[in-house]
Amino acid sequence: MSEKTYGNLYLCATPIGNLEDMTPRALRMLQEADIIAAEDTRHTLQLLNHFNIKGHLVRYDEHSKEKQGAYLLEAMLQGKNVTLVSDAGYPGIADPARLWRRKAIAAGIKVVPVPGANAALCALIASGLPAYPFFFGGFLPKSKKNRREQLELWKHIPATMILYEAPHRIDDVLEDILTCWGDRPMAAARELTKLHEEFYRGTVSSTLAWLKEKPPRGEFCLIIGPGEAKGR
């Protein structure tokens, strides 16, 4: 009796703004995929059209993750290859794929990373702050209470902190960081790899002042200086 061959799950990074950052390998994974799973099919369709790629595109987001996750898992168990993408950067970091990949691994599916652009690392290396060790926190909780509780838990981590934040919450988040962590050195990056890419380097308080002069637009990547370990 022949051994059953499963398909693979390719976690494929896509550009975070500049389409020239799309790698030849990522293009091949999209071209060869039996199924392309996307966080936002409209956004990904624009990417596919730009590179003249035709494929079976399905939506996999927070609202469809249970139903579509089961469908995609069954497809791979039947030998189909699935390429998973997020709206920008790596899937599985700050999007619904972070949970589903575990199910694929548990089912014996081979999970293959396909490298490419990443906002956190782009911002980190250009921030001017220590590049290692670093701690990636992603998006903080939306409510002030939960956000401050999270910040207090991370207050004494002796590593450069990397956070993502939306423009409509950036002021509130920085105010909470200033209250919980003090006026640390930091860099704020926005529109990374795009025409109007911008970095501000200063402190938490000076970043707040800068934002009052330059209304926030686009998602931010915040690089914040390390905390002091407890007991020092």
Side-chain angles (χ1 to χ4, degrees):
M1 186 175 179
S2 61
E3 185 178 344
K4 190 170 184 178
T5 302
Y6 296 156
N8 295 335
L9 172 61
Y10 295 96
L11 301 177
C12 186
T14 55
I16 59 175
N18 191 326
L19 292 177
E20 291 180 4
D21 292 332
M22 193 71 177
T23 69
R25 185 182 176 204
L27 289 173
R28 181 168 62 84
M29 291 300 99
L30 289 169
Q31 290 165 342
E32 296 178 356
D34 296 302
I35 302 171
I36 300 169
E39 185 179 2
D40 184 338
T41 51
R42 294 168 299 179
H43 181 89
T44 300
L45 186 59
Q46 292 177 352
L47 179 72
L48 297 179
N49 287 340
H50 178 84
F51 291 105
N52 197 29
I53 296 173
K54 309 295 181 185
H56 177 36
L57 184 62
V58 301
R59 190 179 190 93
Y60 180 80
D61 60 12
E62 200 65 45
H63 304 291
S64 64
K65 62 184 180 182
E66 294 300 329
K67 181 179 178 181
Q68 289 292 66
Y71 162 72
L72 293 169
L73 186 60
E74 180 59 29
M76 288 185 291
L77 291 174
Q78 296 299 321
K80 302 289 187 183
N81 289 322
V82 174
T83 294
L84 179 66
V85 298
S86 67
D87 288 348
Y90 282 81
I93 294 180
D95 58 62
R98 66 189 182 278
L99 302 175
W100 180 58
R101 63 188 173 181
R102 296 181 197 165
K103 294 183 179 180
I105 292 170
I109 302 296
K110 183 178 180 181
V111 177
V112 182
V114 182
N118 174 263
L121 294 181
C122 285
L124 176 64
I125 62 173
S127 68
L129 291 165
Y132 66 91
F134 68 83
F135 176 90
F136 177 72
F139 288 95
L140 288 166
K142 293 180 181 179
S143 79
K144 179 179 285 290
K145 178 178 179 294
N146 292 341
R147 187 163 59 236
R148 289 198 171 188
E149 287 176 354
Q150 186 68 77
L151 288 169
E152 287 297 332
L153 285 174
W154 292 346
K155 183 175 183 177
H156 296 288
I157 295 176
T160 299
M161 310 296 286
I162 306 177
L163 302 172
Y164 288 159
E165 198 46 73
H168 62 280
R169 285 196 302 267
I170 187 69
D171 287 337
D172 290 340
V173 165
L174 287 174
E175 291 283 4
D176 287 341
I177 289 172
L178 185 61
T179 298
C180 296
W181 291 357
D183 202 13
R184 296 187 190 181
M186 70 164 290
R190 61 182 173 187
E191 302 290 288
L192 282 166
T193 77
K194 298 179 183 178
L195 180 63
H196 299 292
E197 175 181 280
E198 189 171 18
F199 279 84
Y200 176 82
R201 301 171 181 89
T203 62
V204 178
S205 62
S206 69
T207 303
L208 278 164
W210 171 69
L211 286 170
K212 285 182 171 55
E213 297 177 3
K214 303 198 79 169
R217 67 177 186 277
E219 194 172 277
F220 282 82
C221 189
L222 307 177
I223 312 296
I224 303 167
E228 187 172 319
K230 281 187 176 180
R232 288 191 175 181

